[in-house]
Amino acid sequence: MPDNSAERRVTEDSIAVVKKFFDDLRAALNGAEINPYGTFSADVEFVVTGQTPLSGTWRGMKAVLEEFLPAASPLMGRAPGHGLFPLEFIGEGNRVAARARGRGSNTLCMPYNNTYFLWFDVENGFITRYIEDFDSSLAWRAIFRCHLEEAGT
């Protein structure tokens, strides 16, 4: 039987990096003086799927910090208990998938509690690819305050 201990160790290490990201993000959202993106590599590929005004691909933390976050941050409320809470991790080597539940609000305190599927590539202790997928119709309603109509039959 082959010894898979090295591969298991890489998987466990990758999941630990992703868990640290979740911990740091929750702490920052709740007022801690911490960089929630400290686990991201300088050249991270940061992807938000969908067709919302915040959807897109950013290459490098500089782009995330200067383009994505200034657009996203003003749309979100801040309150104790807000965060992204992982429900499940699936890891294989340097790749980790996570299912998470978000708890938050928009700036008018309207609840924004979405379910996320997140993909991470981890290399040398840093996240090199981050892909965020979620219910964008909920984002349109809560974050962008857009009224959606059901299609006629």
Side-chain angles (χ1 to χ4, degrees), residues 69-121:
L69 289 178
S73 292
L75 300 172
M76 302 300 294
R78 300 284 185 272
H82 282 189
L84 196 55
F85 301 89
L87 304 171
E88 179 179 13
F89 295 99
I90 302 169
E92 184 175 324
N94 70 330
R95 295 181 169 168
V96 178
R99 187 171 55 93
R101 185 78 177 147
R103 185 179 314 131
S105 65
N106 66 15
T107 55
L108 300 173
C109 297
M110 180 180 172
Y112 177 65
N113 302 319
N114 213 333
T115 300
Y116 292 82
F117 172 81
L118 302 133
W119 179 269
F120 301 87
D121 285 352

Side-chain angles (χ1 to χ4, degrees), residues 39-41 43-46 94 120-123 126-130:
T39 56
F40 283 53
S41 70
D43 62 347
V44 68
E45 178 184 20
F46 189 98
N94 70 330
F120 301 87
D121 285 352
V122 179
E123 293 178 25
F126 291 96
I127 296 166
T128 58
R129 180 186 293 156
Y130 170 87

